[in-house]
Structures are given as structure tokens and as C-alpha cells.
Amino acid sequence: MAPYKTLYGRRCQSSVGWFELGEARLLGTDLVKDALDKVKIIQDRLRTAQSRKKSYADRKVCDVTFMVGERVLLRVSPLKSVRRFGKKGKLSPRLIGPFEIID
């Protein structure tokens, strides 16, 4: 039994929905084949978009190593309507420090 029918007690109205092998012949092979082809095209385009976004994100990510004794600034994300470091809103600091690397 199809998951949709199990949950809702009736058949899914979509032609691409959960159907048994015997039901595909009742709907028409052309209709089902066209719908499945469109689903494959959509999946390919989603995969392409996902890989493009991943490549953009991978360019921004870099491994940073620090030596003992170096001084660094720490990035902080300000929370809305919370006073952090004595300032609120636009004037709240984005970076604090410098801090020394001790270990």
C-alpha cells in the first residue's frame, strides 16, 4: 500500500504520486513517462545549483593557523536588542580584542 494512502485513506491525485506498477498502465504510459522525465530534469537542475553554491562557499572557507604569541581580533555577532560591550545597534563592535595566542 502506498504511504499516502496509508496516511490519508485515499489515493494521491498526482500522476507522479505513489502508484503501483499496474496503475501506471491505467494512467497512460506517455503521461507517466513525461512526468518522470520532468522530475529527472528538475533533480538535475537542483543538483547543478547545489554544486554551484557549494563551489562558491568553498572559495570563502580557508584554514587559518596562528602561531603562539600572535595577536588576533575576535569576531562577535551582535544580538538584537541586547546591549553587548556597552553599545547597542549599529555602533556595537563587530570585532573585539586584540587577544594574544598563548597555546
Side-chain angles (χ1 to χ4, degrees), residues 35-102:
L36 291 176
D37 289 341
K38 288 180 183 178
V39 168
K40 286 188 188 252
I41 290 170
I42 292 169
Q43 287 174 343
D44 290 339
R45 289 182 181 169
L46 283 172
R47 242 182 258 116
T48 304
Q50 183 182 14
S51 67
R52 186 181 307 123
K53 281 185 159 262
K54 183 181 180 327
S55 69
Y56 292 151
D58 287 345
R59 284 185 207 159
K60 290 184 177 183
V61 174
C62 59
D63 293 331
V64 180
T65 56
F66 298 106
M67 303 292 291
V68 175
E70 286 184 340
R71 299 180 73 79
V72 295
L73 296 173
L74 179 64
R75 180 182 302 261
V76 293
S77 57
L79 300 173
K80 281 188 174 182
S81 71
V82 174
R83 294 180 65 105
R84 181 180 279 183
F85 308 115
K87 302 259 194 290
K88 180 181 173 185
K90 282 195 222 178
L91 300 177
S92 64
R94 304 293 189 251
L95 300 170
I96 58 171
F99 296 104
E100 187 174 348
I101 305 290
I102 56 175

